[in-house]
Amino acid sequence: QVHVVESGGGSVQAGGSLRLSCAASGYLYCSYDMTWYRQAPGKEREFVSEIDSGGSISYADSVKGRFTISHDNAKSTVYLQMNSLKPEDTAMYYCKAVPRGLYCPRTGDVYWGQGTQVTVSS
C-alpha cells in the first residue's frame, strides 16, 4: 500500500504564495509519477501540474508562469510552489502518485491523497 499525504494548504490574499507538499511512501525500490489536481466546489477535478519519475514536468495553461513543481526523490516528495495566487485558484488540491520502477511491486497503480485546501481571497 502506498500512502500519499498532502500538506501546506491555507488561506492567503490574492497575489500571495503558498507551497504545497506531497509525500508518497510505502515501498522500497519505487519512484513515483506525481501529479497535482484541484477541484473547486461545483466543478470537475482538473489537472494542475505533474512531475514524472524521470523528471519531466508539465503544467496546466492556467498556472504556467505562476506555479513551479519540484521533487526530492530521496524523500519521494513533490512540492508545488504557488505564486501570484488568484481567487480562481481556490480549490481542494489533490496529489496523485503512481509508483514506477523495475523492482517496484506496485508499478502503475494509482494512489490519491486526501487533499489540502487552498483559499485565495480578493
Side-chain angles (χ1 to χ4, degrees), residues 54-101:
S56 295
I57 289 172
S58 58
Y59 296 100
D61 288 344
S62 59
V63 306
K64 278 181 183 175
R66 300 188 298 121
F67 291 10
T68 303
I69 195 168
S70 60
H71 63 170
D72 182 338
N73 278 337
K75 297 180 181 179
S76 297
T77 299
V78 64
Y79 305 98
L80 187 69
Q81 178 65 43
M82 305 187 297
N83 298 329
S84 302
L85 282 161
K86 304 175 181 180
E88 51 263 45
D89 294 317
T90 295
M92 184 71 78
Y93 283 69
Y94 296 93
C95 180
K96 182 183 79 175
V98 179
R100 300 291 185 192

Side-chain angles (χ1 to χ4, degrees), residues 1-4 22-35 50-56 69-78 95-101 104-111:
Q1 182 72 18
V2 173
H3 299 280
V4 181
C22 173
S25 62
Y27 291 104
L28 294 175
Y29 312 120
C30 293
S31 55
Y32 298 89
D33 296 342
M34 298 184 80
T35 309
E50 179 179 74
I51 185 165
D52 70 19
S53 57
S56 295
I69 195 168
S70 60
H71 63 170
D72 182 338
N73 278 337
K75 297 180 181 179
S76 297
T77 299
V78 64
C95 180
K96 182 183 79 175
V98 179
R100 300 291 185 192
C104 179
R106 306 303 298 181
T107 293
D109 287 0
V110 177
Y111 299 89

